[in-house]
Amino acid sequence: MTTLKAVRGTRDLLPPETALWNRIEATARAVFARYNFGEIRTPIFEDTGLFARGVGEETDIVSKEMYTWEDRARAQSEKSQSLTLRPENTAGVVRAYIEHKLGETGQLQKLYYIGPQFRRERPQKGRYRQFSQIGAEVIGPPSAGSESPLRDAEVLEMLATLLDELGISGWTLHINSVGSAQDRARYNDVLRAALVPIASQMCEDCQRRAVTNPLRVLDCKVPEDQHLIDALPKISDSLDEASKNHFAQVLAALDAAQVPYTRNHRLVRGLDYYTRTTFEFTHGGLGAQNALLGGGRYDGLSEAIGGPKAPGIGFAMGEDRLVLTLLAQESAPPDKLHAFIAPLGDAKNEQALTRINAAALALARELRRAGLSIELGDGSFRLKKSFEAADKVARRIVIMGEDELASGILTVKDFASGTQTKVPRAELAAFLAG
Ligand code: HAM
């Protein structure tokens, strides 16, 4: 029989790495709470139309990368429906915002999420078909201040703080403004005209994009095209006064908060809903897939999917990429357990073995309830085997044989110092915690 494996682009996360995932998520939740964000959990699949209208029919995500299927009706009262595994979560959050009429509260909604997303991309280091995002969105009616450049700067300052608290050093914040929908339309025309004389010297993708979606030319990574792209007109020259002013205020607030950034005129991002501020945080250690996170403003998204005017800004971090970065940075071995309890029995005497194993379980329970991390061996192990097993996972070994059981005094050996100590049972928890 052929053995079944995890599907290409998906993977199992195993300990000890999952401890790192948990630490990242706990740190993110703690930071989000300090900035007054609450958690939202939306479904993993949605009506396909949400992504087509929200993210944009012409984007790579929607046109090539979605997992979509026809969900057949199971009863006469049901219609069949095209469903899609979410490739990102902003459209789902905005759908929920509209569906639950959150705008009617008149307040800014500050929502965060942690969970899997699905894109049928070519798998490589840092790029998977199921990956996890930690993201947040700030959205609300304009009267709640949702359009203010202060919101953009605050989100970026929060991200800088979160990355610092996660212990990720050496990130770069790239920032740009793609202006309003009108600014973008104007820039598209400027770009299309500028590409006419040079497109034939560019890669095939760019030749196609020059006609269908000129903005996407700026994403091209083909080395030979770069000098041509760098010389193209910049989007900053196509912004109207209001957009320029908005962006200047975002940058001024970042300067005041001392959040370092690099202006990147080519950062237009691959999703259609963006307006004004767009950004990415990159990290050199990641290789080709170097974006730790991306985000921006989406002032027209709610209306594009049938909702009220609800400007917003948000981001999503690639959790897989945060883990890769931290694994590459961290050289410290994972924390060891407080102790390994080694019951020492006589494998040939079943009654004695049962008694010593049971006593060891009772001791382990006592210590775990006192808050200590404990691994429990087995009375049938030879002492050497217990020592080897203990040394791998714990700082100390506690020996529990017939003598120890009778006297209530346990033998504890510390692996780092090599010292052996006799400790009365009543003092054991305090001793191991030290
Ligand atoms: P995005 O740039 O498509 O934006 O994805 C955000 C981040 O998710 C990327 O920077 C990357 O770290 C991670 N990511 C994307 N695709 C993969 C993949 N195949 N494997 C591993 N990690 C990946 C969005 O998704 C927007 N919804 C962000 C946003 C929120 N904009 C406004 N609000």
Side-chain angles (χ1 to χ4, degrees):
M1 225 195 298
T2 51
T3 47
L4 292 168
K5 291 191 168 157
V7 172
R8 185 169 143 79
T10 73
R11 51 210 185 108
D12 303 307
L13 303 175
L14 306 171
E17 193 186 298
T18 38
L20 188 53
W21 287 73
N22 285 328
R23 182 169 75 71
I24 290 171
E25 290 170 16
T27 304
R29 288 179 195 281
V31 170
F32 290 149
R34 293 204 318 257
Y35 286 76
N36 192 27
F37 281 76
E39 184 175 7
I40 181 169
R41 300 189 188 194
T42 62
I44 301 263
F45 55 85
E46 299 266 3
D47 191 297
T48 305
L50 173 66
F51 304 114
R53 279 156 66 187
V55 177
E57 209 104 49
E58 297 299 318
T59 60
D60 277 358
I61 295 181
V62 173
S63 65
K64 301 188 203 152
E65 297 170 0
M66 295 204 306
Y67 287 95
T68 296
W69 71 100
E70 197 59 26
D71 203 54
R72 277 172 298 156
R74 301 199 53 185
Q76 288 231 303
S77 56
E78 279 181 1
K79 282 204 214 107
S80 82
Q81 190 179 10
S82 177
L83 301 180
T84 293
L85 289 180
R86 62 185 189 193
E88 62 99 55
N89 217 5
T90 309
V93 169
V94 177
R95 180 207 40 76
Y97 172 91
I98 299 167
E99 190 166 333
H100 302 286
K101 301 189 170 54
L102 299 181
E104 289 179 9
T105 62
Q107 304 288 311
L108 270 187
Q109 301 296 312
K110 301 172 78 175
L111 304 165
Y112 79 86
Y113 49 84
I114 300 178
Q117 317 291 333
F118 306 85
R119 294 184 194 175
R120 201 168 183 291
E121 295 190 87
R122 194 170 50 77
Q124 65 180 87
K125 182 185 165 204
R127 189 164 71 191
Y128 311 98
R129 290 180 169 178
Q130 175 173 336
F131 58 99
S132 179
Q133 283 186 341
I134 300 178
E137 313 292 347
V138 181
I139 177 169
S143 58
S146 57
E147 276 173 313
S148 166
L150 180 57
R151 299 279 76 83
D152 309 39
E154 189 184 21
V155 161
L156 289 163
E157 188 280 321
M158 175 172 79
L159 279 167
T161 297
L162 175 53
L163 290 176
D164 287 349
E165 289 194 16
L166 286 171
I168 292 184
S169 48
W171 47 262
T172 307
L173 160 57
H174 299 259
I175 189 167
N176 194 19
S177 174
V178 295
S180 63
Q182 294 86 320
D183 294 336
R184 267 217 290 196
R186 200 166 336 121
Y187 182 55
N188 245 310
D189 292 342
V190 171
L191 215 48
R192 187 172 277 125
L195 283 164
V196 170
I198 58 168
S200 61
Q201 304 162 46
M202 304 179 84
C203 71
E204 258 178 50
D205 278 344
C206 280
Q207 297 193 17
R208 185 175 41 78
R209 293 173 184 140
V211 183
T212 57
N213 194 350
L215 223 56
R216 292 272 80 80
V217 167
L218 304 185
D219 296 335
C220 172
K221 300 262 161 35
V222 175
E224 295 76 31
D225 289 3
Q226 299 309 309
H227 70 285
L228 293 170
I229 298 171
D230 286 336
L232 286 167
K234 295 185 170 50
I235 195 162
S236 49
D237 296 326
S238 290
L239 301 187
D240 67 12
E241 279 312 303
S243 295
K244 274 189 191 155
N245 200 4
H246 191 276
F247 192 45
Q249 289 185 56
V250 175
L251 299 185
L254 289 178
D255 288 337
Q258 296 184 317
V259 176
Y261 58 84
T262 303
R263 282 190 66 174
N264 182 341
H265 294 280
R266 286 177 53 176
L267 187 74
V268 289
R269 310 260 306 131
L271 298 89
D272 278 356
Y273 50 61
Y274 289 114
T275 52
R276 297 194 165 170
T277 312
T278 53
F279 57 85
E280 271 177 18
F281 283 67
T282 58
H283 194 279
L286 279 167
Q289 300 306 315
N290 68 351
L292 276 176
L293 68 96
R297 201 165 249 296
Y298 43 86
D299 292 345
L301 175 55
S302 169
E303 286 142 298
I305 56 177
K309 188 169 167 58
I313 178 155
F315 64 86
M317 324 177 78
E319 198 177 355
D320 305 72
R321 296 185 190 176
L322 296 176
V323 170
L324 279 174
T325 308
L326 286 172
L327 285 177
Q329 254 175 231
E330 267 171 23
S331 48
D335 276 356
K336 287 202 162 179
L337 302 173
H338 286 107
F340 182 101
I341 297 178
L344 196 59
D346 176 357
K348 292 189 206 85
N349 180 342
E350 202 172 309
Q351 258 189 353
L353 191 60
T354 306
R355 192 173 53 244
I356 212 81
N357 269 342
L361 177 65
L363 179 64
R365 172 179 160 91
E366 198 176 297
L367 296 174
R368 286 167 174 156
R369 289 194 156 215
L372 300 173
S373 53
I374 302 292
E375 186 53 282
L376 179 58
D378 193 278
S380 66
F381 291 179
R382 286 174 187 279
L383 195 55
K384 184 163 175 275
K385 181 168 169 180
S386 289
F387 265 88
E388 282 168 4
D391 195 14
K392 284 199 187 101
V393 296
R395 293 203 290 272
R396 292 171 172 134
I397 185 167
V398 178
I399 295 158
M400 159 74 104
E402 291 288 354
D403 290 352
E404 284 82 4
L405 188 57
S407 67
I409 310 254
L410 295 129
T411 307
V412 180
K413 182 165 177 183
D414 186 293
F415 288 114
S417 64
T419 51
Q420 199 155 306
T421 320
K422 300 271 185 205
V423 185
R425 184 161 178 158
E427 292 165 24
L428 188 59
F431 180 85
L432 293 175

